[in-house]
Amino acid sequence: MRKSLTRPLQPNGIVDDTCPTVPFPDFCASTLRSDPKSGSAQSSEDLGVILVDQVNSKAGSTLIKISSLISQAQDPKLKAALSSCQDSYGAIVKGSVPASRAALISGNPKFAEQYMTDAAASMDRCDKNFDGLDSPLTSEDDFVRKAATIVAAIAKTLE
């Protein structure tokens, strides 16, 4: 039985109900409120899909940034770290995002939970690649990690 939070359409009502129940509640609320689609969200699944789309957008723009950074990098250790992160972000865009989105829409939230948990973990691995170096991807990794963790938490409540 699905335990979705559903409420009549009202500005950010479902955001106010959902975000306090997940990790990073302030990030959840500010990210969702900044997306115009959240105003028409009617369920926690809708919010999960919106956040998956946010992960996709951030990961896609980060892939472009990484390509540029790789072409400019002189340090082989930095290039290697960036290349590893490029693989992680590529897997999120090509695998985790479409699978999570489809799972939430089709009512199979356990798969969205797993894919987004994996996406968040891949950001930890990306950060570790910069051991001893300043990561140029800290804010992007943090955004994706938090958003993916929130989606996983929302999906878990829907199982």
Side-chain angles (χ1 to χ4, degrees):
M1 180 171 248
R2 298 171 81 187
K3 299 182 233 170
S4 174
L5 296 172
T6 307
R7 68 176 355 194
L9 221 48
Q10 51 192 10
N12 297 313
I14 193 70
V15 172
D16 293 337
D17 288 346
T18 302
C19 289
T21 69
V22 299
F24 314 111
D26 293 339
F27 176 85
C28 174
S30 65
T31 301
L32 286 169
R33 286 191 181 112
S34 71
D35 191 315
K37 292 180 284 186
S38 68
S40 62
Q42 296 183 27
S43 67
S44 50
E45 292 100 326
D46 292 345
L47 297 180
V49 170
I50 291 166
L51 284 168
V52 167
D53 290 345
Q54 291 277 340
V55 167
N56 188 50
S57 177
K58 181 62 79 175
S61 65
T62 303
L63 279 169
I64 294 167
K65 178 179 179 175
I66 292 171
S67 291
S68 175
L69 290 169
I70 288 173
S71 69
Q72 298 169 16
Q74 301 295 317
D75 182 349
K77 188 175 177 183
L78 177 60
K79 275 191 177 191
L82 289 166
S83 292
S84 180
C85 290
Q86 187 175 41
D87 292 342
S88 295
Y89 278 98
I92 290 170
V93 169
K94 293 177 184 166
S96 299
V97 164
S100 297
R101 194 173 206 290
L104 286 168
I105 290 169
S106 66
N108 293 302
K110 66 183 172 195
F111 296 112
E113 179 187 2
Q114 184 59 53
Y115 281 111
M116 287 290 106
T117 298
D118 291 347
S122 72
M123 294 298 91
D124 291 334
R125 289 188 300 274
C126 178
D127 284 343
K128 287 179 183 168
N129 289 325
F130 292 96
D131 185 38
L133 299 170
D134 288 333
S135 171
L137 304 176
T138 301
S139 66
E140 292 86 350
D141 292 352
D142 189 55
F143 183 95
V144 171
R145 180 184 304 105
K146 286 178 179 177
T149 299
I150 294 166
V151 174
I154 289 172
K156 188 172 182 71
T157 68
L158 302 173
E159 294 175 10

